[in-house]
Amino acid sequence: MTVWDDAMRAALAEATQAVTWGDVPVGAVVLDETGAIIARAANQRVLDDDPLAHAEMLALRRAADARQTHRLDGCTIVVTLEPCAMCAGAIAQARLTRLVFGAFDEKAGAVASLFDVLRDARLPHRPEVVAGVLADESVALLQAFFADRR
């Protein structure tokens, strides 16, 4: 058990919602400095016909709205799947303190699997990365989703 398990369970609950509208089950929550959830989201690409409506992007927007600033210093994003390049870039731009993710994404992961965008020494802001939190649960959710579509 890790300190991030409860937040990851909240992200997993969000991810299950994406399945209802036919999207890949990825969920994200943003925590403030106290650990309180200030934003949550699931993938909505299919629902919104929006290629940018990844769970991370939506959660970051909602967190920025909640804090009324584009800078999310001190915040942590917890997401069920390793972020892609777009989402990793947005995490860096939002200046989050930490990223926590569940499953690795060997096809599109840009934090560890294919690229390491967030820990690139050339960037001015490099959040802490915590990988593999409740990874088995995240993987199981993704596998069940794709098994139903094959």
Side-chain angles (χ1 to χ4, degrees):
M1 180 146 177
T2 73
V3 298
W4 305 111
D5 287 3
D6 288 341
M8 185 60 75
R9 283 189 188 94
L12 285 161
E14 291 297 315
T16 61
Q17 292 183 27
V19 175
T20 64
W21 49 78
D23 214 328
V24 177
V26 177
V29 297
V30 178
L31 312 173
D32 68 10
E33 299 86 346
T34 70
I37 295 175
I38 60 169
R40 55 182 74 229
N43 270 357
Q44 287 185 213
R45 298 168 311 151
V46 172
L47 185 65
D48 296 347
D49 287 325
D50 180 357
L52 305 181
H54 289 206
E56 300 96 311
M57 300 297 281
L58 297 171
L60 290 174
R61 282 189 194 125
R62 292 170 186 167
D65 285 347
R67 289 179 65 130
Q68 302 213 333
T69 179
H70 67 282
R71 303 229 4 201
L72 299 175
D73 301 282
C75 292
T76 297
I77 188 165
V78 179
V79 62
T80 58
L81 182 65
E82 177 184 357
C84 68
M86 173 182 70
C87 294
I91 289 165
Q93 289 298 314
R95 303 181 87 60
L96 283 119
T97 297
R98 182 179 304 103
L99 160 69
V100 176
F101 72 88
F104 287 86
D105 184 350
E106 295 179 12
K107 293 183 179 181
V111 179
S113 296
L114 294 180
F115 307 104
D116 196 351
V117 171
L118 293 180
R119 292 175 283 203
D120 189 316
R122 297 169 292 183
L123 291 177
H125 180 74
R126 292 179 298 282
E128 175 188 354
V129 175
V130 179
V133 175
L134 299 183
D136 292 342
E137 289 89 333
S138 295
V139 168
L141 189 59
L142 290 161
Q143 287 176 336
F145 174 80
F146 287 112
D148 286 347
R149 275 140 187 82
R150 290 189 181 124

